Amino acid sequence: MAPRHIMAVGGQSETLQQRFREAGVTVEWIPLESLISGYGAAHCMTQVLQRQPMEPAPRAVYMKEGAKATATKR
């Protein structure tokens, strides 16, 4: 969510919660009891996303030709 502000599955041990607090990490504890009975739901929902850089989308460039405007892509 932000640096040192995360979401985690609720119901974790007090030891883990205390370690996060001591490390200065703010945790939003999300109750997922009804989902984790499906085996793996919490694991799959909380994986880190690694994104690849994308090329910028083409920009529309408007040029006036006489009284008519046209758009070209760059």
Side-chain angles (χ1 to χ4, degrees):
M1 293 178 21
R4 307 197 72 71
H5 190 170
I6 65 170
M7 291 188 296
V9 177
Q12 302 301 316
S13 71
E14 183 57 40
T15 302
L16 179 62
Q17 294 178 42
Q18 182 62 33
R19 287 184 180 171
F20 276 125
R21 286 191 292 270
E22 290 169 357
V25 177
T26 301
V27 181
E28 303 296 333
W29 297 102
I30 310 299
L32 296 177
E33 290 83 10
S34 61
L35 296 175
I36 58 176
S37 63
Y39 302 106
H43 179 265
C44 296
M45 290 172 32
T46 58
Q47 293 301 301
V48 175
L49 297 178
Q50 182 176 4
R51 300 181 189 269
Q52 297 296 322
M54 292 178 53
E55 291 187 28
R59 292 184 306 147
V61 177
Y62 294 93
M63 302 176 164
K64 234 179 184 179
E65 290 179 5
K68 166 171 128 177
T70 62
T72 59
K73 289 189 178 179
R74 278 193 161 167

